[in-house]
Amino acid sequence: MLEIQRVQQNKSDAIAGLKKRGISNAEELLDRVITLDQKRKDTQTKLDSILSESKTLAKDIGRLMKEGKKDEANAIKEKTSVLKEESKKLAEDQKNIENELIKALYDIPNVPHDSVPAGTNEEDNEEVRSWGTIPELHENNKPHWDLIKDYDIIDFDLGVKITGAGFPVYKGKGSRLLRAMVNFFLDEAAEAGYIEVQPPLVINEASGIGTGQLPDKEGQMYHITEDDLYLIPTAEVPITNMYRDVIVKPADLPIKNVGYTPCFRREAGSWGAHVRGLNRLHQFDKVEIVQITKPEDSYSTLEKMCEHVEGLLKKLELPYRVLRLCGGDLGFTSALTYDMEVYSAAQKRWLEVSSVSNFETYQANRLKLRYKNENNKTQLLHTLNGSALALPRILAAVIENNQDEKGIKIPDVLQKYTGFDRI
RNA sequence: AGAGGAGUGGCAGAGUGGUCGAAUGCACCGGUCUUGAAAACCGGCGUGCCGCAAGGUACCGGGGGUUCGAAUCCCUCCUCCUCUGCCA
């Protein structure tokens, strides 16, 4: 959630930023927050002074009782009961105002970074750079949903039988290839200084709120109602929430974590064109990198994280492009996001395989994730994360782009992980 | 899952209805002393909110209640420990 102070100080910037997301009533939203905050302050001032008076009187009563001046004490008691009623009412008002304020803040997305182009959808995303050459495939090349059947490496029907649509079964060399990639990605991240973690795959409500999946997007997560827990939609949630309510020692910054987890997404209502095969699933694997940095370091860190992701794609010899997402395509909590897309020569389209974002203080503000700066002041940190990488689409691109008449060639860097060089 | 016990500041640990935001020790930071360090001594040392500030206010696992007044009493939830049961 946005910092109220920042909204107040740079209101026009915030409005301009939110307009890039296509939010036309930005000024109205921000004014509401500012008004509510002022109301909150006023109420608190009143409440505090009443509480202060009550406290003083309570102490007087205690003293008088001890001195045996019961009548005097009782006289004061009457006064305090009036104050108590007032403070009770004010406390209730205060709570209501605070709830309204938080709700209002939850409704406002992050203010995009200056470099984010305005726009309404993916067509307005800006290509920053690209790499690699699109391979020429043989005449009878096939998309991955056919290849996986031909070589019997991924079975969707079996997944349907066990669970339902969107839960594939990886088999034999398919399963080995998946595991090989996970290991490759984790090793590369370790090499780049990320500390590996294995977080829970199930999170509580507070964690969902911390990273912004709740209260808005609960429909996207699988909800275990009996225990009121959620299946993680991404490792970002448990990993970032490790640092909820933490004041980090400056010496520990930047924090760099990597985690491999399955991810679970209901994807309610988002099925349709372009989601065949591995392109969109309810359960998929992902290696996620997360960094927590000082505010002044976050944008250079974002670039480094992109370099890391691009390094993986280069080693896998996959042609890719990097997009800077426009305001309309930008995630709710993100200030700047780069999407990495790999070109699938068989599907003849770009596949999003990674998304690297800087959330600035938006998540940290909800998480209460802070550090003591040089002036010994507690200050919000910046959070960043990126997929490095999302497995199914990478696997799809790898088998599609490396197919020939005789089968599928495994990229060189993966061979020591798979133990085989062809499928 | 059942029975019992417990949750207090970075840690340890006192505090069972009033002057307790909380003793004390350790850790940490600053200073004195010292060539330097250690020891000793002096001072500082939680977080949020309101306030220009002085200061005020809230927080003793979470939520609710009793009371003029709650770390302390009551209810409820959570977590941890011990024993029993079950289990990869």
Side-chain angles (χ1 to χ4, degrees), chain A residues 128-289:
Chain A
V128 182
R129 58 186 168 269
S130 61
W131 179 89
T133 46
I134 290 160
E136 300 265 341
L137 296 185
H138 68 286
E139 215 172 289
N140 300 318
N141 75 79
K142 294 175 176 177
H144 69 266
W145 48 84
D146 289 332
L147 292 171
I148 58 168
K149 279 188 184 155
D150 291 353
Y151 300 103
D152 193 26
I153 51 174
I154 298 174
D155 195 325
F156 279 93
D157 297 334
L158 212 43
V160 169
K161 176 181 173 183
I162 302 167
T163 309
F167 294 90
V169 176
Y170 296 77
K171 292 157 72 176
K173 284 185 171 176
S175 185
R176 292 279 297 272
L177 177 57
L178 184 75
R179 182 159 56 90
M181 286 182 170
V182 170
N183 285 331
F184 169 62
F185 295 152
L186 285 173
D187 285 354
E188 289 287 313
E191 186 87 2
Y194 290 89
I195 306 298
E196 185 176 336
V197 293
Q198 278 205 34
L201 307 181
V202 176
I203 52 138
N204 57 26
E205 189 189 18
S207 294
I209 289 172
T211 32
Q213 281 70 29
L214 295 174
D216 255 6
K217 292 169 270 293
E218 52 257 81
Q220 287 299 316
M221 288 191 288
Y222 286 98
H223 187 195
I224 303 162
T225 51
E226 194 168 357
D227 299 294
D228 199 19
L229 297 171
Y230 298 84
L231 261 51
I232 59 168
T234 158
E236 161 196 346
V237 180
I239 294 177
T240 312
N241 271 284
M242 297 197 301
Y243 305 98
R244 171 156 45 88
D245 283 321
V246 170
I247 297 178
V248 182
K249 288 199 211 95
D252 293 338
L253 293 167
I255 290 170
K256 299 173 79 174
N257 283 132
V258 60
Y260 152 69
T261 69
C263 302
F264 303 91
R265 296 188 184 176
R266 294 187 62 229
E267 303 286 6
S270 63
W271 298 82
H274 287 161
V275 293
R276 280 193 77 174
L278 295 168
N279 290 349
R280 181 160 296 161
L281 300 168
H282 284 311
Q283 178 182 329
F284 65 96
D285 296 286
K286 184 157 61 68
V287 173
E288 182 83 1
I289 50 175

Side-chain angles (χ1 to χ4, degrees), chain A residues 20-153:
Chain A
K20 288 198 287 190
R21 286 182 179 270
I23 295 172
S24 50
N25 63 339
E27 181 156 18
E28 204 179 298
L29 292 172
L30 296 181
D31 279 343
R32 185 171 149 70
V33 164
I34 292 167
T35 309
L36 281 169
D37 191 48
Q38 193 52 52
K39 249 168 107 179
R40 191 195 107 249
K41 287 178 180 176
D42 294 345
T43 314
Q44 165 132 28
T45 307
K46 269 190 233 157
L47 177 60
D48 279 1
S49 72
I50 288 175
L51 286 175
S52 175
E53 204 180 335
S54 310
K55 252 171 100 162
T56 314
L57 291 175
K59 281 178 191 170
D60 287 346
I61 291 169
R63 193 172 34 82
L64 290 168
M65 291 294 222
K66 227 175 241 175
E67 290 168 8
K69 297 175 180 166
K70 223 174 164 186
D71 292 345
E72 279 182 57
N74 282 330
I76 299 177
K77 270 194 196 181
E78 276 175 43
K79 252 164 120 186
T80 57
S81 68
V82 176
L83 286 176
K84 196 181 179 181
E85 213 142 293
E86 273 181 66
S87 71
K88 219 172 186 172
K89 196 192 160 297
L90 275 172
E92 206 173 299
D93 288 351
Q94 178 79 339
K95 211 173 189 176
N96 289 336
I97 292 165
E98 270 169 18
N99 286 341
E100 255 185 274
L101 178 60
I102 284 173
K103 232 181 111 197
L105 280 168
Y106 280 179
D107 281 342
I108 305 172
N110 203 352
V111 175
H113 185 254
D114 281 345
S115 69
V116 171
T120 52
N121 58 41
E122 61 224 34
E123 274 154 45
D124 298 318
N125 294 339
E126 183 187 309
E127 183 169 327
V128 182
R129 58 186 168 269
S130 61
W131 179 89
T133 46
I134 290 160
E136 300 265 341
L137 296 185
H138 68 286
E139 215 172 289
N140 300 318
N141 75 79
K142 294 175 176 177
H144 69 266
W145 48 84
D146 289 332
L147 292 171
I148 58 168
K149 279 188 184 155
D150 291 353
Y151 300 103
D152 193 26
I153 51 174

